[in-house]
Amino acid sequence: MILVTGGTGNVGRHVVAQLLERGAGVRVLTRSPASAVVPEGAEVAGGDLADPTTLDAALEGVASVFLVWPTLSADHAAPVTIEAIAKRVGHAGRIVYLSSNGASGDAGPETILGSHALLERLIERSGPEWTFLRPGGFATNTLMWASQIRDTGVVRWAHGAASRPLIHERDIAAVGVSALTGEGHGGARYVLTGPETLTQVEQVHAIGEALGRPVRWEELAPESALQEMIAQGWPAALAEGVLGAHAQMVTATEPVTSTVEEVTGAPATPFRQWATDHAKDFGAPA
């Protein structure tokens, strides 16, 4: 039995589906079991990673865990929760943790990278075999433009020249499933990217190609983008960090890795294919 946390999210739902395809027993942890929608064959268990006392039933009989952590919001419970998971899966079990590229740096504890670094340290010391997935930019992050594209066909945002090799969430899941079900992944820190680097302007154009209509980029001043993010509910420090990172990507492009293909045997999915897969999210006819 493999427990998948975040099993209804962008990456986790693909992990669940791919594990079921391999014939694995799958249990999905969710805070809302009554409303969770999972594929046939997967179990659903209620529980909250931020409250370790709720996890006993979900962890019963579990041999491995695909861990998507509620970054920052549950860090106060991380030491006890990781200890509870490690105790149940034992030294023969596995923990595959969805971390982030850069988590090994010196980021502060109140940052996303700092949160991932904390979880990695706790898991390393916990006992079970572990594998860390460290993706760079998620292609799904471009869904933040979906309403603009649907309504106007224009994306107004900052740092159009910032470039990244965005990765399809399905590819992240495929590496995770390989680590959960195969051998030779213990102690690995897999840096995962897509197969090509595109600027944000090029990403917008690729989405337009998937939709069959032009989508235009309009450069927005970083200060204006920051105010929009804060108005949408982003904490100011987090919004500043995201925009600052994109500013750096204008001149310092993230390197492309071949890890997806090395681990899974299949090349990473190009962003243009991701855009086609998600065309409905941007307003393509159903």
Side-chain angles (χ1 to χ4, degrees):
M1 178 61 67
I2 299 174
L3 179 67
V4 179
T5 77
T8 59
N10 288 325
V11 176
R13 63 188 178 88
H14 287 287
V15 172
V16 171
Q18 292 176 30
L19 285 172
L20 290 172
E21 288 174 1
R22 297 195 181 199
V26 181
R27 183 179 298 151
V28 176
L29 176 70
T30 174
R31 289 179 295 177
S32 305
S35 59
V37 178
V38 301
E40 183 178 353
E43 297 181 8
V44 175
D48 186 348
L49 291 170
D51 183 359
T53 65
T54 68
L55 300 177
D56 286 348
L59 289 169
E60 183 66 32
V62 165
S64 299
V65 175
F66 183 85
L67 182 62
V68 179
W69 187 255
T71 309
L72 295 174
S73 65
D75 285 3
H76 63 281
V80 179
T81 298
I82 296 305
E83 182 181 6
I85 291 173
K87 182 178 180 180
R88 287 301 186 99
V89 303
H91 286 273
R94 298 178 182 179
I95 299 174
V96 175
Y97 173 53
L98 180 56
S99 186
S100 179
N101 192 16
S104 58
D106 298 323
E110 300 303 319
T111 66
I112 292 174
L113 289 180
S115 175
H116 285 303
L118 166 67
L119 267 293
E120 287 192 5
R121 290 194 298 270
L122 293 171
I123 292 168
E124 281 186 81
R125 297 196 296 258
S126 68
E129 180 180 293
W130 53 264
T131 305
F132 298 150
L133 310 183
R134 290 179 171 176
F138 283 42
T140 52
N141 290 343
T142 64
L143 291 172
M144 69 181 291
W145 301 328
S147 61
Q148 292 188 67
I149 291 173
R150 287 193 300 264
D151 296 342
T152 69
V154 178
V155 172
R156 298 179 68 252
W157 203 243
H159 304 304
S163 57
R164 305 185 82 175
L166 297 180
I167 186 168
H168 199 306
E169 63 275 13
R170 186 172 59 225
D171 292 340
I172 301 172
V175 175
V177 169
S178 295
L180 287 165
T181 61
E183 299 300 327
H185 304 286
R189 298 174 172 85
Y190 289 133
V191 178
L192 309 176
T193 74
E196 59 183 346
T197 298
L198 297 177
T199 66
Q200 292 196 100
V201 173
E202 290 169 333
Q203 295 160 23
V204 165
H205 291 164
I207 293 169
E209 292 172 4
L211 294 173
R213 58 181 173 85
V215 178
R216 184 167 56 87
W217 176 274
E218 185 176 307
E219 188 72 18
L220 190 65
E223 297 78 11
S224 299
L226 176 62
Q227 293 307 312
E228 285 194 19
M229 294 175 77
I230 293 173
Q232 294 169 8
W234 286 68
L238 186 57
E240 290 170 357
V242 170
L243 288 171
H246 279 89
Q248 293 178 0
M249 292 172 200
V250 172
T251 56
T253 301
E254 290 179 334
V256 174
T257 72
S258 58
T259 310
V260 171
E261 184 168 11
E262 292 168 4
V263 174
T264 69
T269 306
F271 180 79
R272 288 173 177 81
Q273 180 60 54
W274 178 90
T276 298
D277 293 343
H278 288 268
K280 293 180 182 178
D281 296 323
F282 293 101

